[in-house]
Amino acid sequence: MIVIKNSIKEGGKKNILVKVKNLTKIYGRGELAFKALEGINLEISTGDFAAVVGPSGSGKTTLLNMIGALDKPTLGEIIIDGIETSKVKESKLYNVRREKVGFIFQTYYLIPTLTTLQNILVPTFPFASRKENYLSRARELLDKVGLQGKEHRKPSQLSGGEQQRVAIARALILNPLLILADEPTGNLDTKTGMGIIELMRNLNQKEGKTFLIVTHDQRITKFCQKVIHLEDGKIL
Ligand SMILES: Nc1ncnc2c1ncn2[C@@H]1O[C@H](COP(=O)(O)OP(=O)(O)OP(=O)(O)O)[C@@H](O)[C@H]1O
Ligand SMILES: [Mg+2]
């Protein structure tokens, strides 16, 4: 079941950013083969704040990984911003991922030896030779996520909520079209989690960033135009 609220904005057609067509993902082969997703069809429009919900093992992370081009489907198509990722060579997939998608994870995945500012800049390292001024953008993002004055701290000197803010700024540094978040509030207490939700909502509402969020948190799903329910690898 896909619950769609306000999916058509007044007077306008929405731009389809992600289209998933008949996606099936099978892990392993032969007797060990396991169908993690089967026959998934969905669309995410530019500006959506959308959620994926479902029990543990239902395929939520698998779906996010496929949409984020971290892994390839066994069958079916995924089209992001007009690019069919299953047709892109492995060596070029990296570029699609970098340019189109930002990731946020439950456990942040910051590099412990790097400072806040350096962690935010990590996705830009392959493009260090470009003329763009990533440092000034990183500083702007630092302010936007509320980490002013903490740019030289290491992750171990930050709270969980602050570490997630670093991860959000890192996800935004290359200005991706889509932010994929896997349980972004899963490791945070209620109040800190609320701060992260407000930050994501702000980015969606004020800057039009598109979000697809795997979550159990009803404080997130209540804001979502689309809630995709997965069970045993299928959309309910
Ligand atoms: N690399 C893999 N190889 C084999 N099976 C896998 C692999 N990754 C995931 N699976 C299986 O695919 C199914 C879906 O996994 P997935 O991680 O997508 O679930 P999930 O909905 O994100 O669960 P959770 O809420 O616990 O994070 C599970 O049964 C899991 O065991
Ligand atoms: Mg998961």
Side-chain angles (χ1 to χ4, degrees):
M1 175 183 57
I2 304 182
V3 182
I4 302 177
K5 289 185 257 168
N6 314 321
S7 84
I8 308 289
K9 287 209 170 121
E10 258 178 277
K13 229 174 97 190
K14 290 191 91 182
N15 177 36
I16 306 293
L17 181 57
V18 179
K19 197 171 174 90
V20 175
K21 286 197 226 168
N22 209 15
L23 166 67
T24 292
K25 176 64 181 178
I26 299 170
Y27 287 116
R29 281 159 189 259
E31 283 187 17
L32 292 176
F34 182 84
K35 205 179 269 178
L37 291 173
E38 187 176 5
I40 302 290
N41 290 289
L42 61 89
E43 284 178 358
I44 306 291
S45 301
T46 300
D48 271 353
F49 199 67
V52 182
V53 301
S56 180
S58 59
K60 304 182 297 296
T61 296
T62 303
L63 178 62
L64 230 61
N65 289 348
M66 300 294 143
I67 293 175
L70 287 172
D71 198 357
K72 285 204 169 195
T74 309
L75 290 170
E77 286 176 17
I78 298 171
I79 299 155
I80 299 185
D81 195 30
I83 298 173
E84 192 190 329
T85 56
S86 49
K87 296 225 172 97
V88 175
K89 273 197 281 180
E90 197 72 46
S91 58
K92 296 263 192 290
L93 208 52
Y94 176 81
N95 294 334
V96 175
R97 201 152 61 220
R98 295 266 168 163
E99 285 169 21
K100 310 280 182 210
V101 188
F103 292 92
I104 304 169
F105 303 95
Q106 180 171 357
T107 48
Y108 330 126
Y109 289 132
L110 301 179
I111 298 178
T113 52
L114 300 183
T115 66
T116 296
L117 207 53
Q118 290 166 336
N119 264 294
I120 295 173
L121 285 164
V122 163
T124 72
F125 289 173
F127 310 122
S129 59
R130 282 193 192 173
K131 290 273 183 290
E132 286 164 66
N133 192 347
Y134 290 122
L135 191 59
S136 72
R137 176 157 169 80
R139 288 190 187 284
E140 266 171 42
L141 286 169
L142 196 83
D143 283 358
K144 193 169 281 174
V145 301
L147 287 174
Q148 306 87 329
K150 299 196 170 152
E151 58 265 47
H152 300 304
R153 296 213 192 164
K154 300 279 169 65
S156 62
Q157 298 167 317
L158 296 169
S159 71
E162 288 169 340
Q163 290 183 61
Q164 192 60 299
R165 286 168 191 274
V166 178
I168 292 173
R170 179 186 57 189
L172 293 168
I173 187 81
L174 292 177
N175 205 17
L177 298 166
L178 173 69
I179 308 287
L180 298 173
D182 200 344
E183 294 280 4
T185 58
N187 266 23
L188 303 172
D189 63 72
T190 309
K191 186 162 166 265
T192 312
M194 201 60 223
I196 294 299
I197 294 168
E198 280 164 8
L199 176 58
M200 293 192 298
R201 279 271 292 164
N202 250 319
L203 290 164
N204 173 252
Q205 299 223 298
K206 303 223 170 94
E207 302 193 18
K209 285 282 165 206
T210 308
F211 279 83
L212 181 61
I213 309 169
V214 169
T215 189
H216 294 109
D217 196 331
Q218 293 185 348
R219 296 173 307 172
I220 296 179
T221 52
K222 75 173 182 195
F223 292 123
C224 292
Q225 297 96 14
K226 282 192 187 121
V227 180
I228 297 153
H229 294 258
L230 280 182
E231 209 164 299
D232 293 331
K234 295 189 185 125
I235 288 182
L236 280 189

